[in-house]
Amino acid sequence: GESVGLHLPTLSVQEGDNSIINCAYSNSASDYFIWYKQESGKGPQFIIDIRSNMDKRQGQRVTVLLNKTVKHLSLQIAATQPGDSAVYFCAEPNQAGTALIFGKGTTLSVSS
Amino acid sequence: DAGVTQSPTHLIKTRGQQVTLRCSPKSGHDTVSWYQQALGQGPQFIFQYYEEEERQRGNFPDRFSGHQFPNYSSELNVNALLLGDSALYLCASSFPVPGLAGGIDTQYFGPGTRLTVL
């Protein structure tokens, strides 16, 4: 069925380290995935997306990897900064392609 | 360029009351979606409005209703409030992109309205 989930609810890193946030999905027909960042008291903010015809996509300090064989995607944040502290969600469109299905989120805590 | 705006920021109601939340989409966007986010959870899709009509609905009872105005702004109404309706209500706007993989363009979220039902 349609579901998107994350492996770990929390991740704690030191400033300057690289962070890896994981997400597993169950629908093998899914062809589009998005990562959102949600800071405390704010709405989700688009970070980066990837389509199923790609294995990797890079943005500014972020990289998303998609492994369709095991239905897994990850968000890598390079040189993590305190401002990266937030809840990170992976999401995919529903079958109708009109709305997003979110996982539960991973809380990233960055200590300096 | 103003992003998605929502009002009010916070709201406290009691069980059985009715509430109306408001959303103005990002400039140029004509599609508005509403999501409910319970504490510690990801957002859950309530419904989407396009061309002043409900385009799709998630798994929410008909106590939840909405409206879209000609200027693309939208309202979410919840009747007969329950304690379990306490949540952050998020509005997201986007362009519809028919034919695009997933059929969905990037959704931009507002800051949300925090509803507390006592």
Side-chain angles (χ1 to χ4, degrees):
Chain A
E2 299 177 339
S3 68
V4 180
L6 295 176
H7 293 303
L8 292 175
T10 60
L11 177 65
S12 296
V13 301
Q14 291 285 324
E15 181 178 1
D17 288 349
N18 296 330
S19 302
I20 300 177
I21 300 171
N22 296 305
C23 180
Y25 62 95
S26 60
N27 183 4
S28 58
S30 296
D31 56 8
Y32 179 55
F33 301 92
I34 314 104
W35 282 99
Y36 280 89
K37 170 187 180 183
Q38 187 172 24
E39 297 175 274
S40 181
K42 298 183 179 180
Q45 176 188 4
F46 173 87
I47 303 173
I48 192 169
D49 59 2
I50 188 168
R51 301 197 182 276
S52 61
N53 60 351
M54 304 172 69
D55 296 324
K56 178 180 180 180
R57 191 172 187 206
Q58 289 184 296
Q60 187 176 12
R61 282 201 305 118
V62 295
T63 301
V64 56
L65 299 178
L66 176 62
N67 185 331
K68 296 179 286 292
T69 302
V70 295
K71 292 184 286 187
H72 177 272
L73 69 156
S74 66
L75 177 71
Q76 301 180 359
I77 305 173
T80 313
Q81 302 169 0
D84 295 326
S85 295
V87 180
Y88 289 81
F89 294 97
C90 63
E92 63 175 333
N94 61 4
Q95 279 193 333
T98 53
L100 294 171
I101 301 171
F102 286 81
K104 289 188 177 181
T106 290
T107 300
L108 175 65
S109 298
V110 183
S111 53
S112 53
Chain B
D1 177 23
V4 179
T5 60
Q6 294 186 242
S7 63
T9 305
H10 296 87
L11 204 52
I12 299 175
K13 292 285 187 178
T14 57
R15 282 180 297 174
Q17 286 189 311
Q18 178 266 343
V19 68
T20 298
L21 310 181
R22 295 177 176 81
C23 170
S24 291
K26 184 177 170 67
S27 179
H29 286 182
D30 57 6
T31 302
V32 173
S33 303
W34 286 92
Y35 293 80
Q36 180 195 66
Q37 186 176 24
L39 198 62
Q41 304 293 317
Q44 299 286 318
F45 175 67
I46 303 175
F47 43 54
Q48 183 180 84
Y49 277 84
Y50 171 65
E51 293 187 340
E52 301 181 48
E53 292 191 354
E54 185 180 291
R55 185 180 178 198
Q56 195 190 14
R57 188 179 187 91
N59 189 25
F60 279 80
D62 57 11
R63 296 187 298 109
F64 290 77
S65 63
H67 188 77
Q68 185 178 34
F69 300 93
N71 67 352
Y72 308 125
S73 66
S74 177
E75 288 182 349
L76 164 65
N77 301 292
V78 187
N79 295 322
L81 284 167
L82 304 174
L83 296 179
D85 295 331
S86 294
L88 180 68
Y89 287 86
L90 295 161
C91 170
S93 72
S94 60
F95 290 113
V97 188
L100 182 68
I104 191 169
D105 195 9
T106 302
Q107 293 200 341
Y108 292 86
F109 286 82
T113 294
R114 173 70 64 186
L115 173 64
T116 301
V117 182
L118 302 177

Coordinates of all heavy atoms in Angstrom, one line a residue, chain A residues 31-32 34 36 38 41-46 49 51 89 93-105, chain B residues 33 35 37 40-45 48 55-56 88 90 100-112:
Chain A
D31 N 7.3 6.8 -7.9 CA 8.3 7.3 -8.8 C 8.8 8.7 -8.5 O 9.5 9.4 -9.3 CB 7.8 7.2 -10.2 CG 6.5 7.9 -10.4 OD1 6.1 8.6 -9.4 OD2 5.9 7.8 -11.5
Y32 N 8.4 9.2 -7.3 CA 8.8 10.6 -7.0 C 8.8 10.7 -5.5 O 7.9 10.3 -4.8 CB 7.8 11.6 -7.6 CG 8.0 13.0 -7.3 CD1 9.3 13.6 -7.6 CD2 7.1 13.8 -6.7 CE1 9.5 15.0 -7.3 CE2 7.3 15.2 -6.5 CZ 8.5 15.7 -6.8 OH 8.7 17.1 -6.5
I34 N 10.2 13.3 -2.1 CA 10.6 14.6 -1.6 C 11.0 14.6 -0.2 O 10.5 13.8 0.6 CB 9.4 15.6 -1.7 CG1 8.6 15.5 -3.1 CG2 9.8 17.1 -1.5 CD1 7.3 14.7 -3.0
Y36 N 11.4 17.0 3.2 CA 11.1 18.3 3.8 C 11.8 18.4 5.1 O 12.0 17.4 5.8 CB 9.5 18.3 4.0 CG 8.7 18.7 2.8 CD1 8.2 17.7 2.0 CD2 8.4 20.0 2.5 CE1 7.5 18.0 0.9 CE2 7.6 20.3 1.4 CZ 7.2 19.3 0.6 OH 6.4 19.6 -0.5
Q38 N 11.3 20.5 8.8 CA 10.3 21.3 9.6 C 11.0 21.7 10.9 O 11.3 20.9 11.8 CB 9.1 20.4 9.9 CG 8.0 21.2 10.6 CD 6.7 20.5 10.7 OE1 6.6 19.3 10.7 NE2 5.6 21.2 10.8
G41 N 7.8 25.1 15.3 CA 6.8 26.2 15.1 C 6.6 26.6 13.6 O 6.0 27.7 13.4
K42 N 7.2 25.9 12.7 CA 7.1 26.3 11.3 C 6.5 25.1 10.5 O 6.4 24.0 10.9 CB 8.4 26.7 10.7 CG 9.1 27.9 11.4 CD 10.4 28.2 10.7 CE 11.0 29.5 11.3 NZ 12.3 29.8 10.7
G43 N 6.0 25.4 9.3 CA 5.6 24.4 8.4 C 6.7 23.7 7.7 O 7.8 24.2 7.7
P44 N 6.5 22.6 7.1 CA 7.5 21.9 6.3 C 8.1 22.7 5.2 O 7.4 23.4 4.5 CB 6.8 20.6 5.8 CG 5.6 20.4 6.7 CD 5.2 21.8 7.1
Q45 N 9.4 22.7 5.0 CA 10.1 23.4 4.0 C 10.7 22.4 3.0 O 11.5 21.5 3.4 CB 11.2 24.3 4.6 CG 12.0 25.1 3.6 CD 13.2 25.8 4.3 OE1 13.4 25.7 5.5 NE2 13.9 26.6 3.6
F46 N 10.4 22.6 1.7 CA 11.0 21.8 0.7 C 12.5 21.8 0.7 O 13.1 22.9 0.7 CB 10.5 22.2 -0.7 CG 11.1 21.5 -1.9 CD1 10.6 20.3 -2.3 CD2 12.2 22.1 -2.5 CE1 11.2 19.7 -3.4 CE2 12.8 21.4 -3.6 CZ 12.3 20.2 -4.0
D49 N 14.1 17.0 -4.1 CA 13.3 15.9 -4.6 C 14.1 15.0 -5.5 O 15.2 15.4 -6.0 CB 12.0 16.4 -5.2 CG 12.2 17.3 -6.4 OD1 13.4 17.5 -6.8 OD2 11.3 17.8 -7.0
R51 N 13.4 11.8 -8.7 CA 12.4 11.0 -9.5 C 13.1 9.6 -9.6 O 14.3 9.5 -9.6 CB 12.1 11.6 -10.8 CG 11.4 13.0 -10.5 CD 10.7 13.5 -11.7 NE 10.1 14.9 -11.4 CZ 9.0 15.1 -10.7 NH1 8.2 14.0 -10.3 NH2 8.6 16.3 -10.4
F89 N 11.3 14.9 7.1 CA 10.3 14.0 6.6 C 10.6 13.6 5.1 O 11.0 14.5 4.3 CB 8.9 14.6 6.6 CG 8.4 14.9 7.9 CD1 8.5 16.2 8.4 CD2 7.7 14.0 8.6 CE1 7.9 16.5 9.7 CE2 7.2 14.2 9.9 CZ 7.3 15.5 10.4
P93 N 4.0 11.2 -3.5 CA 2.6 11.5 -3.9 C 1.7 10.2 -3.6 O 2.2 9.1 -3.7 CB 2.7 11.8 -5.4 CG 4.1 12.1 -5.6 CD 4.9 11.3 -4.6
N94 N 0.5 10.5 -3.3 CA -0.5 9.4 -3.3 C -0.8 8.9 -4.7 O -0.3 9.4 -5.7 CB -1.8 9.8 -2.5 CG -2.5 11.0 -3.3 OD1 -2.1 11.4 -4.3 ND2 -3.6 11.4 -2.7
Q95 N -1.6 7.8 -4.7 CA -1.8 7.2 -6.0 C -2.4 8.1 -7.1 O -2.2 8.0 -8.3 CB -2.7 6.0 -5.9 CG -2.0 4.7 -5.4 CD -2.8 3.5 -5.5 OE1 -4.0 3.5 -5.4 NE2 -2.1 2.3 -5.6
A96 N -3.3 9.0 -6.6 CA -3.9 10.0 -7.5 C -3.0 11.1 -7.9 O -3.2 11.8 -8.8 CB -5.1 10.6 -6.8
G97 N -1.8 11.2 -7.2 CA -0.8 12.2 -7.5 C -1.2 13.6 -7.1 O -0.7 14.6 -7.7
T98 N -2.2 13.7 -6.2 CA -2.7 15.0 -5.8 C -2.2 15.5 -4.5 O -2.4 16.6 -4.1 CB -4.2 15.1 -5.9 OG1 -4.7 14.0 -5.1 CG2 -4.7 14.9 -7.3
A99 N -1.7 14.6 -3.7 CA -1.4 14.9 -2.3 C -0.1 14.1 -1.9 O 0.3 13.2 -2.6 CB -2.5 14.6 -1.3
L100 N 0.5 14.6 -0.8 CA 1.7 13.9 -0.3 C 1.4 13.0 0.9 O 0.5 13.3 1.7 CB 2.7 15.0 0.1 CG 3.2 15.9 -1.0 CD1 4.0 17.0 -0.4 CD2 4.1 15.1 -1.9
I101 N 2.1 11.9 0.9 CA 2.1 11.0 2.0 C 3.4 11.2 2.8 O 4.5 11.0 2.2 CB 1.9 9.5 1.6 CG1 0.6 9.4 0.8 CG2 1.9 8.6 2.8 CD1 0.5 8.0 0.1
F102 N 3.3 11.5 4.0 CA 4.5 11.7 4.8 C 4.8 10.6 5.8 O 3.9 9.9 6.3 CB 4.3 13.0 5.7 CG 4.4 14.3 5.0 CD1 3.3 14.8 4.3 CD2 5.6 15.0 5.0 CE1 3.3 16.0 3.6 CE2 5.6 16.2 4.3 CZ 4.5 16.7 3.6
G103 N 6.1 10.3 6.0 CA 6.5 9.4 7.1 C 6.4 10.2 8.4 O 6.0 11.3 8.5
K104 N 6.8 9.5 9.5 CA 6.7 10.1 10.8 C 7.8 11.1 11.1 O 7.6 11.9 11.9 CB 6.7 9.0 11.9 CG 5.5 8.1 11.9 CD 5.5 7.2 13.1 CE 4.2 6.4 13.1 NZ 4.2 5.5 14.3
G105 N 8.9 11.1 10.4 CA 9.9 12.1 10.6 C 11.1 11.6 11.5 O 11.0 10.8 12.4
Chain B
S33 N -4.0 22.7 -0.6 CA -4.2 21.4 0.1 C -4.1 21.7 1.6 O -3.4 22.6 2.0 CB -3.1 20.4 -0.3 OG -3.1 20.2 -1.7
Y35 N -3.6 19.9 5.4 CA -3.1 18.7 6.1 C -3.3 18.9 7.6 O -3.2 20.0 8.1 CB -1.6 18.6 5.9 CG -1.2 18.2 4.4 CD1 -1.2 19.1 3.4 CD2 -0.9 16.9 4.1 CE1 -0.8 18.8 2.1 CE2 -0.6 16.5 2.8 CZ -0.5 17.5 1.8 OH -0.2 17.1 0.6
Q37 N -1.5 17.8 11.2 CA -0.3 17.2 11.8 C -0.5 17.1 13.3 O -0.4 18.1 14.0 CB 0.9 18.0 11.5 CG 2.2 17.4 11.9 CD 3.4 18.2 11.5 OE1 3.4 19.4 11.2 NE2 4.6 17.5 11.4
G40 N 4.1 15.0 17.0 CA 5.1 13.8 16.8 C 4.8 13.0 15.5 O 5.5 12.0 15.3
Q41 N 3.9 13.4 14.7 CA 3.5 12.7 13.5 C 3.8 13.5 12.2 O 4.0 14.7 12.3 CB 2.0 12.3 13.5 CG 1.6 11.5 14.7 CD 2.2 10.2 14.8 OE1 2.3 9.5 13.7 NE2 2.7 9.7 15.9
G42 N 3.8 12.9 11.1 CA 3.9 13.6 9.8 C 2.5 14.1 9.5 O 1.5 13.7 10.0
P43 N 2.5 15.1 8.6 CA 1.2 15.7 8.1 C 0.3 14.6 7.4 O 0.8 13.8 6.7 CB 1.6 16.8 7.2 CG 3.0 17.1 7.6 CD 3.6 15.8 8.0
Q44 N -1.0 14.7 7.7 CA -2.0 13.8 7.0 C -2.9 14.6 6.1 O -3.4 15.6 6.6 CB -2.8 13.1 8.1 CG -2.0 12.2 9.0 CD -1.5 10.9 8.4 OE1 -2.3 10.3 7.7 NE2 -0.3 10.5 8.6
F45 N -3.0 14.2 4.9 CA -3.8 14.9 3.9 C -5.3 14.9 4.2 O -5.9 13.9 4.5 CB -3.6 14.2 2.5 CG -4.4 14.8 1.4 CD1 -4.3 16.1 1.0 CD2 -5.4 14.0 0.8 CE1 -5.0 16.6 -0.1 CE2 -6.1 14.5 -0.3 CZ -6.0 15.8 -0.7
Q48 N -8.0 18.7 -1.0 CA -7.3 19.6 -1.9 C -8.4 20.4 -2.7 O -9.4 19.8 -3.1 CB -6.4 18.9 -2.9 CG -5.7 19.8 -3.8 CD -4.7 19.0 -4.7 OE1 -5.1 18.5 -5.8 NE2 -3.5 18.9 -4.3
R55 N -11.0 18.7 -5.0 CA -10.5 17.8 -6.0 C -10.3 16.4 -5.5 O -10.5 15.4 -6.2 CB -9.2 18.4 -6.5 CG -8.5 17.7 -7.7 CD -7.3 18.4 -8.0 NE -6.5 17.7 -9.1 CZ -5.3 17.9 -9.4 NH1 -4.6 18.8 -8.6 NH2 -4.7 17.3 -10.4
Q56 N -9.8 16.3 -4.3 CA -9.6 15.0 -3.7 C -9.7 15.1 -2.2 O -9.4 16.2 -1.6 CB -8.3 14.3 -4.1 CG -8.2 12.9 -3.8 CD -6.9 12.2 -3.9 OE1 -5.9 12.9 -4.0 NE2 -6.9 10.9 -3.9
L88 N -1.8 20.6 14.6 CA -1.3 21.7 13.7 C -2.0 21.5 12.4 O -1.8 20.5 11.7 CB 0.2 21.7 13.6 CG 0.8 22.8 12.8 CD1 0.7 24.2 13.4 CD2 2.3 22.5 12.5
L90 N -2.0 22.5 8.6 CA -1.1 23.1 7.6 C -1.9 23.3 6.2 O -2.6 22.4 5.8 CB 0.1 22.2 7.3 CG 1.0 22.0 8.5 CD1 1.9 20.8 8.4 CD2 1.9 23.3 8.7
L100 N 2.8 15.1 -15.2 CA 4.1 15.0 -14.6 C 4.1 13.8 -13.7 O 3.2 13.5 -13.1 CB 4.4 16.3 -13.8 CG 5.8 16.3 -13.1 CD1 6.9 16.5 -14.2 CD2 5.8 17.5 -12.1
A101 N 5.3 13.1 -13.7 CA 5.4 11.9 -12.8 C 4.9 12.3 -11.4 O 5.4 13.2 -10.8 CB 6.8 11.4 -12.8
G102 N 3.9 11.5 -10.9 CA 3.4 11.9 -9.6 C 2.3 12.9 -9.7 O 1.4 12.9 -8.9
G103 N 2.2 13.6 -10.8 CA 1.1 14.5 -11.1 C 1.1 15.7 -10.1 O 0.1 16.3 -9.9
I104 N 2.2 15.9 -9.4 CA 2.1 16.9 -8.3 C 3.4 17.8 -8.4 O 4.5 17.4 -8.7 CB 2.1 16.2 -7.0 CG1 1.7 17.3 -5.9 CG2 3.3 15.5 -6.6 CD1 1.4 16.6 -4.6
D105 N 3.2 19.1 -8.3 CA 4.3 20.0 -8.3 C 4.7 20.2 -6.9 O 4.0 19.8 -5.9 CB 3.8 21.3 -8.9 CG 5.0 22.2 -9.3 OD1 6.1 21.8 -9.2 OD2 4.8 23.4 -9.6
T106 N 5.8 20.9 -6.7 CA 6.3 21.1 -5.3 C 5.2 21.9 -4.5 O 4.6 22.8 -4.9 CB 7.5 22.0 -5.4 OG1 8.5 21.3 -6.1 CG2 8.1 22.2 -4.0
Q107 N 4.9 21.3 -3.3 CA 3.9 22.0 -2.4 C 4.7 22.8 -1.4 O 5.6 22.4 -0.8 CB 3.1 20.9 -1.7 CG 2.2 20.1 -2.7 CD 1.0 19.5 -2.0 OE1 1.1 19.2 -0.8 NE2 0.0 19.1 -2.7
Y108 N 4.2 24.1 -1.3 CA 4.8 25.0 -0.4 C 3.9 25.2 0.8 O 2.7 25.5 0.6 CB 5.1 26.4 -1.0 CG 6.1 26.3 -2.1 CD1 5.8 25.9 -3.4 CD2 7.5 26.6 -1.8 CE1 6.8 25.9 -4.4 CE2 8.4 26.5 -2.8 CZ 8.1 26.1 -4.1 OH 9.1 26.0 -5.0
F109 N 4.4 25.0 2.0 CA 3.6 25.0 3.2 C 3.6 26.3 3.9 O 4.6 27.0 3.9 CB 4.0 23.9 4.2 CG 3.7 22.5 3.8 CD1 4.4 21.8 2.8 CD2 2.5 21.9 4.3 CE1 4.1 20.5 2.4 CE2 2.2 20.6 3.9 CZ 2.9 19.9 3.0
G110 N 2.5 26.6 4.5 CA 2.4 27.8 5.4 C 2.9 27.4 6.8 O 3.2 26.2 7.1
P111 N 2.9 28.3 7.8 CA 3.4 28.0 9.1 C 2.4 27.2 10.0 O 2.8 26.7 11.0 CB 3.6 29.4 9.7 CG 2.6 30.3 9.0 CD 2.5 29.7 7.6
G112 N 1.2 27.1 9.5 CA 0.2 26.3 10.2 C -0.6 27.1 11.3 O -0.2 28.2 11.7

